[in-house]
Amino acid sequence: MSEPAKETRGLVVVHTGNGKGKTTAALGIVFRALGRGMKCGVIQFLKGKWETGERKFARTIPELDFHVMGLGFTWDSDDLDKDKAAAEEAWSVSARMIQEGNHNIIILDEITYVFHYGWLPVEKVLKVLKERPRHVHVVVTGRNCPEVLLEYADLVSVIEAKKHPYQSGIPAQKGIDF
Ligand code: ATP
Ligand code: MG
């Protein structure tokens, strides 16, 4: 009997849950893929306040398109409409990147926050994922990933928070956290 056909195609991967490691695991995939000569794109939907190691490093890697756009820290923001517009802009860059098919792997980092705030309907993202070029892998990270996206994904990892140094009063560490 012949072996079942092995199907090769782009995957949708979700890293969700309350534990640490969602973004770092996605960046680990990028590290690995770059080693394979694959073209990667990262869109960070949360800007945060501080520079991060990954952002600094990304600037030195030509095969990596790294975009930091989308939400600032909302509790700092005096203009929520601005955040909504930024989230929409981040999605339009992401959608274009997915549809063009020039990248093998695209990371939508913290995109789930955009769903949470109601700034982007998950159905809109799902439609683009479903119609994406066959070879494109997409990795979604963020807490509270909507159920429809979990259902559609090929790979879902829910990272559990068992213990975090934050609970012992240890602040975020350079290299480990940012
Ligand atoms: P990382 O970017 O480190 O992989 P993450 O993407 O899984 O983390 P986020 O929700 O994006 O998690 O939060 C990023 C920051 O919050 C990191 O500095 C991380 O150490 C911290 N963090 C993540 N999970 C927890 C937790 N359960 N308790 C406290 N801090 C956390
Ligand atoms: Mg993260």
Side-chain angles (χ1 to χ4, degrees), residues 84-152:
K84 182 179 194 289
E88 282 168 351
E89 176 62 13
W91 169 242
S92 93
V93 168
S94 308
R96 203 178 317 132
M97 203 184 267
I98 293 168
Q99 288 159 343
E100 280 171 355
N102 295 328
H103 296 76
N104 300 99
I105 300 189
I106 296 164
I107 313 291
L108 306 177
D109 188 42
E110 321 291 359
I111 194 175
T112 58
Y113 288 86
V114 171
F115 306 137
H116 178 78
Y117 287 113
W119 287 336
L120 187 70
V122 63
E123 290 74 22
K124 212 167 159 179
V125 172
L126 213 49
K127 184 170 188 292
V128 170
L129 290 179
K130 285 178 179 169
E131 293 168 0
R132 77 192 187 281
R134 209 179 147 72
H135 64 281
V136 176
H137 300 287
V138 178
V139 182
V140 167
T141 88
R143 293 167 191 228
N144 305 308
C145 185
E147 198 58 40
V148 276
L149 195 45
L150 297 180
E151 274 162 29
Y152 176 68

Side-chain angles (χ1 to χ4, degrees), residues 15 21-36 40 42 54 105 107 139 141:
H15 299 162
K22 299 175 288 295
T23 298
T24 41
L27 295 172
I29 291 174
V30 169
F31 192 113
R32 180 174 277 169
L34 289 171
R36 292 285 181 189
C40 298
V42 177
E54 60 265 34
I105 300 189
I107 313 291
V139 182
T141 88

